[in-house]
Amino acid sequence: MITLQGKGVFGGVAIGKISFYKRTGGQIQRRKIDNPAAEIARFEEAKAKAIEQLDELYNKAVQEVGEGNAMIFQVHQMMLDDLDYVEAITNMITTQEINAEFAVGTTGDNFSQMFASMDDEYMRERAADVKDISERVVSILSGSQEGGLVTDTPVILASDDLAPSETVQLDKDMVLSFVTQGGSTNSHTAILARTMNIPAIIGLGEGLTEEYEGKMGIVDGATGKLFIEPDEETLKEYREKQAEYQEKQELLQKLKGEENISLDGQKVKLYANIGNASDIGAVLQNDAAGIGLFRSEFLYLENDDFPTEEEQFKVYKYVAETMAGKQVIIRTLDIGADKQIDYFNLPKEENPAMGYRAIRICLTQKDIFKTQLRALFRASAFGNIAIMFPMIIALEEVLEIKEIVEEVKKELDDEGIPYNKETQLGIMIETPAAAVISDDLAKEVDFFSVGTNDLTQYTTAVDRQNANLEKFYHPHHKALLRLIKMAADNAHKNGIWIGICGELGADMELTEAFLAMGIDELSVSPACILPLRKKIRETGIADRREEILADVLG
């Protein structure tokens, strides 16, 4: 048995085989072609090869798992010959004069979304199948090996680390746990693990190598230990721990439908942070009162080109309708820094965290910004949407945003397009500058949401993505907590509400402090909703408010 020590970023136990993330040549590029007939012939040849591969897989699976379990490969063969699927690809190649790889990938995504939205459970299950066959054909066309997570059973996913553009494309049903060589507690891999409610370990170092591909592993998210090829005694011990953890999770389910109210009657809204529409199931399952942070940049990360107004509108509308009147706070595009997108052609920067990112891009590339705002306001007619703007440092930025918002509203009015004229506008408090001038900012917006991840790094001058600086990263730093308290006081003085949407919102060592500050809303990963509800319902601070504040603020 081999034991590797890292840092646990989400608790729980995972037991399964280890599979390393495999990288290929990257995103599918759209190319103009001169000979559509030749391109269709390329597609037909690749399709035939894919059917041949699936036939081999079927024969192998019959021997290993029986005919019933092998049938899926025959289903995939039939789907590849489906007339609607084939015509959609060949028509796209012919009419748009584009390369087969892009046509297959786009058609696969479109058909997958269509199946996923169907009422029939069997048809919904075909969404993953059509995506799988499309990826197989694209791999053959591009001459690359299959990339990403290549598995047909849930695994412990290992990697050096995962970029946002990689995490967003994972088949999350196939991931039992994340283990990485590097990373930080605020990396996207760690945030995704918390969203998915699965154990994760970062910082395992170079001891985590691909020689362990396919080996049995145990992940202890609480202690940060990864056991490779565990002995029988260790395996038995951790199966028991896994059962205990599951029992605790089931007890938490009894808190569904209960109020988020402290022992002394203080109410707090508990919202959820999500990255895309597919996370809504986890939001509803964990009984969140709303969505406090929808990271809209993942719409851009999922695409090979700028998502259109219509594409964005459909996603925002779907989220608003599915949440059925519960508030959905959508953060406008927040790329740059650690979230890079090739087609934006952002310049290479020495210090990207301090550079051209988030609202700075939106205020200098207003066509991109207005497209998103139009989509957001159009979707506001279908639910309770609020819009939140990131990385604010000056009152002038807020005033300019409001001018652009008014331009968008006028356009929609002129076109007779309905929208909610009372849509709330808020800003993120994630720079010390915003916290210090929060008194001025509060007069111009409807709410604040504190982004503690960035506020911590900017306040303490510690890059939150740099694993070498973990020991210097102090999320309970008094300077940070004083800034949050300052923003809370200024929000309430000016009659607006304040929430926290950074990872610190789920830190139960600070729940008392946030109640004492009068924080109105905590937005956390869906899996943290019920444990946090339990903590709030067991906490009373009325007679200790000043004592608690003195302790954390100094």
Side-chain angles (χ1 to χ4, degrees):
M1 180 173 75
I2 297 160
T3 305
L4 299 180
Q5 181 68 56
K7 183 168 185 176
V9 291
F10 196 80
V13 173
I15 302 172
K17 289 189 176 179
I18 297 169
S19 180
F20 278 78
Y21 186 86
K22 296 164 182 65
R23 292 186 171 88
T24 58
Q27 294 180 327
I28 305 170
Q29 298 298 315
R30 179 188 179 115
R31 297 195 321 274
K32 186 85 170 170
I33 50 102
D34 298 323
N35 190 340
E39 203 66 14
I40 290 172
R42 279 186 69 229
F43 160 65
E44 293 288 357
E45 185 179 339
K47 178 168 76 76
K49 186 172 181 181
I51 290 172
E52 186 181 314
Q53 288 180 355
L54 289 164
D55 194 51
E56 291 172 4
L57 287 170
Y58 170 77
N59 292 327
K60 184 172 184 287
V62 168
Q63 299 298 318
E64 295 178 357
V65 295
E67 188 171 359
N69 292 316
M71 284 293 292
I72 186 63
F73 298 114
Q74 287 192 327
V75 172
H76 282 195
Q77 287 175 297
M78 288 187 286
M79 292 177 82
L80 273 171
D81 275 328
D82 178 78
L83 189 60
D84 290 335
Y85 176 75
V86 172
E87 281 187 352
I89 293 168
T90 55
N91 286 344
M92 190 177 292
I93 292 171
T94 302
T95 58
Q96 299 184 32
E97 297 183 338
I98 56 170
N99 55 312
E101 292 91 338
F102 190 83
V104 173
T106 303
T107 301
D109 287 343
N110 292 342
F111 273 58
S112 179
Q113 288 177 21
M114 177 184 70
F115 281 123
S117 65
M118 291 181 177
D119 293 331
D120 184 79
E121 185 178 352
Y122 174 82
M123 297 306 290
R124 286 200 303 272
E125 289 173 355
R126 302 286 71 78
D129 294 329
V130 73
K131 201 165 182 65
D132 190 34
I133 62 168
S134 301
E135 288 171 354
R136 182 176 294 279
V137 175
V138 169
S139 294
I140 294 168
L141 283 165
S142 60
S144 64
Q145 299 296 312
E146 287 185 276
L149 177 57
V150 185
T151 181
D152 53 6
T153 57
V155 295
I156 296 167
L157 181 58
S159 180
D160 52 352
D161 199 7
L162 293 169
S165 57
E166 293 171 332
T167 61
V168 80
Q169 296 175 55
L170 287 172
D171 180 355
K172 298 174 182 64
D173 290 335
M174 290 294 144
V175 183
L176 297 171
S177 169
F178 291 112
V179 292
T180 61
Q181 292 177 335
S184 71
T185 50
N186 287 291
S187 69
H188 287 275
T189 309
I191 291 170
L192 181 62
R194 290 189 279 266
T195 299
M196 292 170 60
N197 193 22
I198 59 174
I201 303 173
I202 60 164
L204 287 163
E206 294 181 3
L208 180 64
T209 65
E210 293 198 22
E211 68 182 282
Y212 301 127
E213 176 74 31
K215 303 289 187 186
M216 177 61 72
I218 297 175
V219 174
D220 184 339
T223 64
K225 282 187 170 65
L226 171 64
F227 302 94
I228 300 168
E229 296 189 299
D231 54 43
E232 284 301 317
E233 186 180 344
T234 305
L235 194 58
K236 181 175 180 292
E237 176 191 348
Y238 274 91
R239 288 201 191 283
E240 290 172 357
K241 284 187 177 182
Q242 193 175 44
E244 288 172 14
Y245 182 79
Q246 185 59 38
E247 188 178 339
K248 287 179 183 176
Q249 294 301 108
E250 288 169 4
L251 285 172
L252 285 173
Q253 296 300 308
K254 294 180 180 178
L255 286 171
K256 283 186 176 180
E258 299 292 335
E259 279 193 292
N260 309 305
I261 185 167
S262 67
L263 291 173
D264 44 20
Q266 186 171 337
K267 292 184 179 181
V268 182
K269 291 183 286 187
L270 284 188
Y271 284 5
N273 299 334
I274 65 172
N276 53 41
S278 64
D279 295 330
I280 289 182
V283 175
L284 298 174
Q285 183 183 350
N286 287 280
D287 200 30
I291 294 172
L293 171 61
F294 181 106
R295 301 179 179 95
S296 70
E297 58 272 13
F298 281 87
L299 283 174
Y300 296 78
L301 285 161
E302 289 171 334
N303 277 279
D304 299 317
D305 203 348
F306 296 99
T308 65
E309 177 184 327
E310 198 63 28
E311 288 170 337
Q312 294 188 62
F313 164 68
K314 285 178 181 176
V315 173
Y316 305 145
K317 175 177 177 282
Y318 168 74
V319 174
E321 287 180 330
T322 306
M323 291 303 291
K326 293 180 178 180
Q327 189 168 49
V328 177
I329 301 174
I330 301 177
R331 180 176 70 188
T332 56
L333 177 63
D334 184 10
I335 64 160
D338 59 326
K339 287 171 282 195
Q340 296 293 320
I341 301 175
D342 291 343
Y343 59 82
F344 270 79
N345 296 315
L346 298 179
K348 183 171 175 55
E349 297 178 302
E350 291 299 320
N351 193 353
M354 299 278 195
Y356 187 51
R357 58 173 297 196
I359 202 65
R360 297 166 185 179
I361 293 174
C362 292
L363 291 179
T364 51
Q365 299 190 50
K366 293 181 182 176
D367 53 335
I368 297 172
F369 192 32
K370 289 182 76 171
T371 296
Q372 182 174 31
L373 287 174
R374 281 180 59 92
L376 285 165
F377 275 103
R378 284 175 58 196
S380 72
F382 298 88
N384 185 7
I385 283 179
I387 305 172
M388 178 163 70
F389 305 98
M391 276 296 292
I392 298 298
I393 64 165
L395 178 63
E396 290 75 15
E397 290 171 344
V398 176
L399 297 176
E400 185 176 358
I401 288 166
K402 291 177 74 173
E403 285 179 10
I404 296 169
V405 164
E406 290 306 312
E407 290 172 17
V408 167
K409 285 183 175 180
K410 185 176 185 308
E411 287 177 8
L412 295 175
D413 286 336
D414 292 344
E415 295 168 32
I417 297 174
Y419 64 92
N420 179 8
K421 291 180 168 54
E422 304 303 316
T423 298
Q424 285 196 345
L425 302 180
I427 61 169
M428 292 192 70
I429 303 293
E430 53 188 341
T431 65
V436 171
I437 63 166
S438 54
D439 191 15
D440 295 329
L441 297 173
K443 294 177 174 63
E444 300 295 335
V445 295
D446 299 302
F447 65 92
F448 288 159
S449 188
V450 182
T452 56
N453 302 355
D454 271 327
L455 186 59
T456 305
Q457 83 165 342
Y458 292 133
T459 302
T460 60
V462 172
D463 180 357
R464 64 188 178 96
Q465 298 291 334
N466 189 333
N468 295 324
L469 299 179
E470 281 282 308
K471 67 175 287 187
F472 301 104
Y473 187 80
H474 299 298
H476 293 193
H477 199 292
K478 287 184 178 180
L480 170 72
L481 297 173
R482 288 177 186 177
L483 289 173
I484 296 173
K485 175 68 163 57
M486 180 189 299
D489 289 345
N490 284 328
H492 295 145
K493 186 170 68 176
N494 287 280
I496 68 170
W497 63 269
I498 182 170
I500 292 176
C501 67
E503 294 297 305
L504 217 56
D507 186 336
M508 289 190 233
E509 290 182 29
L510 289 174
T511 304
E512 282 191 346
F514 292 148
L515 288 171
M517 291 179 192
I519 298 297
D520 303 292
E521 174 248 22
L522 295 169
S523 189
V524 298
S525 298
C528 296
I529 294 287
L530 294 176
L532 190 53
R533 176 174 295 166
K534 182 175 185 290
K535 174 69 174 178
I536 290 169
R537 290 173 62 85
E538 294 172 348
T539 301
I541 56 100
D543 56 349
R544 299 184 301 117
R545 190 181 303 272
E546 295 306 319
E547 176 190 336
I548 292 167
L549 289 175
D551 183 48
V552 297
L553 301 178

